[in-house]
Amino acid sequence: MAMTITEKILAKAAGKKEVTPGEIIDAKVDFAMMHDLTGPLTVESFEKIGVKKVWDPSRIVITFDHQTPASSIDAAKNHILLREFANKHKIVHFYDMFEGICHQVLPEKGFALPGKVVIGADSHTVTYGALGCFATGVGSTDMAAILATGRLWFKVPESIKIIARGVLKPPVMSKDLILHIIGDFGMDGATYQAVEFTGECISKMSIDGRLTLCNMVVEMGAKNGIIEPDAKTLQWLKGRAKEKFEIIKSDADAEYKTTKEYDANKLEPQVACPHSVDNIKSVREVEGEEIDQAFIGTCTNGRLEDLKIAAKILKGKKVSKKVRLIVVPASAEVYREALDSGILKILVNAGALVESPGCGACMGCHIGVLGPGEVSISASNRNFKGRQGSPDSKVYLASPATVAASAITGKITDPRDFYA
């Protein structure tokens, strides 16, 4: 029977020759991740199960990223609890607060590998599908079950095929493409489905861009996003992969619930307007909206490619005196590369505040919290009411290029006006 890449990976994980959409399977998990926000609840659930040892200390990853450095006494207590858990169970892959955001760290450290099943206690775990694995987020109770057994049940999702033809014309980025797709499908248009990306646009897209694409499929309700591994994937994984892996691809005659095509050649910079990720307009339609804060970072757009295009736009210019530009590299590796290449110097000279890797500004719990009436343009992935601070604030989502251009003018601005 012909199968999609998602179906093939799940069949393999379940020890079956084939699976069909809607089927319930019991699957082996290759790597499991939890962080400082979901980890304490997972530990609590795990201890209630009564199991004395985790299933495999070498296949569990713990990262500190959401409230780092600790932003409150409660956050510090969570860190202490997880450090003690990691020590007690001899967790091999424990990354304390310096390493960065989990959804950048796991690909960088070689846990997200083609053909694998990688599960995280965080909704944006779907990011890893960019490297050809089945990756999805679960709650803390499910993660506790994985810690105990190394397995979890899944309903095999139906698949959607997204064919992106043509090429993105800089400064249009993969963020613009996924915002456009989410606007088309709606925030529940792919509920519990696998979104498979293919086409010339995807082939020519960088791994950074692919990670951004898959990162946001959860904002349209998807179970996972996935891209077939190619030569670019293998090159990126050289020197990173934690273990051997298998290249898995969809059969040519595999069945999809829906197939949609998009022409990247015609795509303009996009923005998600308050307070919904699927409230999409072109940047030209909302130009002139004044902003108080501009933010580049997160597991969506804190990668080197994102900082590089922001630096290209901001080089030799100054951030508007009315605007606070916050930049948060997604990981220590990205931070070092941006530092060594001079990107951070350009951003700082323009007036940006560069913070340490982490999720705080994205979730409104740490740095850059918005006050009542304030407006932010953000390269993050959610703009729900109150997401980044006051419920009376507004968040517009856009690409790093659009955020950088807007930081210069103090109002939402099309980055094509600053990109030669």
Side-chain angles (χ1 to χ4, degrees), residues 171 284 287 309 312-315 317-318 401-402 404-411 413-420:
R284 288 291 187 211
E287 268 192 323
I309 196 166
K312 183 176 174 63
I313 289 170
L314 283 158
K315 189 173 184 178
K317 301 180 181 66
K318 290 289 183 185
T402 299
S406 303
I408 295 169
T409 63
K411 50 194 176 185
T413 299
D414 193 313
R416 290 174 293 183
D417 296 344
F418 287 91
Y419 195 89

Side-chain angles (χ1 to χ4, degrees), residues 372-416:
E374 290 196 312
V375 177
S376 169
I377 188 156
S378 172
S380 57
N381 46 39
R382 283 179 177 156
N383 62 348
F384 308 149
K385 200 174 181 67
R387 167 72 176 182
Q388 291 180 8
S390 169
D392 295 322
S393 63
K394 294 195 296 185
V395 176
Y396 290 82
L397 303 179
S399 75
T402 299
V403 174
S406 303
I408 295 169
T409 63
K411 50 194 176 185
I412 294 176
T413 299
D414 193 313
R416 290 174 293 183

Side-chain angles (χ1 to χ4, degrees), residues 84-408:
E84 290 178 348
F85 181 83
N87 185 51
K88 177 181 176 182
H89 291 278
K90 299 183 175 14
I91 303 298
V92 176
H93 307 294
F94 170 61
Y95 300 103
D96 212 310
M97 66 177 196
F98 178 71
E99 207 61 53
I101 301 172
C102 54
H103 304 315
Q104 180 65 14
V105 172
L106 266 75
E108 280 178 357
K109 301 295 182 185
F111 297 101
L113 298 169
K116 302 287 184 181
V117 173
V118 187
I119 309 300
D122 187 285
S123 58
H124 290 105
T125 302
V126 290
T127 308
Y128 317 152
L131 296 167
C133 58
F134 175 83
T136 195
V138 297
S140 295
T141 307
D142 282 334
M143 182 52 64
I146 295 173
L147 296 192
T149 66
R151 308 186 71 85
L152 194 64
W153 71 270
F154 297 98
K155 183 173 78 171
V156 178
E158 294 178 303
S159 289
I160 294 172
K161 181 186 272 190
I162 302 286
I163 304 171
R165 302 200 184 280
V167 293
L168 296 170
K169 296 177 179 174
V172 177
M173 303 180 70
S174 63
K175 178 66 163 290
D176 298 300
L177 178 59
I178 189 62
L179 286 178
H180 180 68
I181 291 170
I182 292 171
D184 189 20
F185 273 82
M187 62 188 299
D188 58 357
T191 299
Y192 209 97
Q193 295 175 61
V195 179
E196 184 178 329
F197 296 97
T198 188
E200 180 190 12
C201 177
I202 308 302
S203 300
K204 293 187 174 177
M205 191 177 286
S206 67
I207 297 297
D208 281 4
R210 296 180 190 183
L211 289 164
T212 298
L213 210 59
C214 288
N215 172 273
M216 290 198 69
V217 297
V218 73
E219 309 306 332
M220 52 200 277
K223 185 65 175 174
N224 68 305
I226 198 159
I227 297 171
E228 288 185 351
D230 59 9
K232 199 174 286 184
T233 311
L234 300 180
Q235 180 62 34
W236 196 85
L237 287 172
K238 269 188 178 177
R240 298 182 189 272
K242 277 283 180 286
E243 61 187 19
K244 292 181 179 177
F245 55 86
E246 179 184 357
I247 300 291
I248 294 177
K249 298 190 176 186
S250 296
D251 291 320
D253 54 346
E255 290 189 8
Y256 294 85
K257 181 183 181 187
T258 308
T259 298
K260 282 205 171 189
E261 297 188 19
Y262 294 88
D263 185 352
N265 292 318
K266 296 179 180 176
L267 191 65
E268 293 183 40
Q270 306 284 295
V271 62
C273 300
H275 298 283
S276 176
V277 185
D278 60 358
N279 186 13
I280 304 297
K281 296 181 180 178
S282 72
V283 173
R284 288 291 187 211
E285 291 180 272
V286 295
E287 268 192 323
E289 171 82 18
E290 294 195 353
I291 59 170
D292 300 285
Q293 183 165 291
F295 171 44
I296 299 171
T298 80
C299 59
T300 310
N301 279 128
R303 301 186 180 86
L304 194 66
E305 176 180 270
D306 305 317
L307 305 188
K308 190 179 290 183
I309 196 166
K312 183 176 174 63
I313 289 170
L314 283 158
K315 189 173 184 178
K317 301 180 181 66
K318 290 289 183 185
V319 172
S320 167
K321 291 182 178 177
K322 299 184 298 180
V323 174
R324 312 178 295 268
L325 172 59
I326 298 172
V327 175
V328 181
S331 70
E333 180 177 316
V334 172
Y335 198 119
R336 279 191 291 268
E337 289 181 357
L339 190 65
D340 293 344
S341 63
I343 288 173
L344 292 189
K345 186 175 181 180
I346 293 171
L347 296 175
V348 169
N349 284 344
L353 174 66
V354 180
E355 286 284 346
S356 57
C359 309
C362 174
M363 58 186 289
C365 72
H366 206 169
I367 56 170
V369 174
L370 297 174
E374 290 196 312
V375 177
S376 169
I377 188 156
S378 172
S380 57
N381 46 39
R382 283 179 177 156
N383 62 348
F384 308 149
K385 200 174 181 67
R387 167 72 176 182
Q388 291 180 8
S390 169
D392 295 322
S393 63
K394 294 195 296 185
V395 176
Y396 290 82
L397 303 179
S399 75
T402 299
V403 174
S406 303
I408 295 169

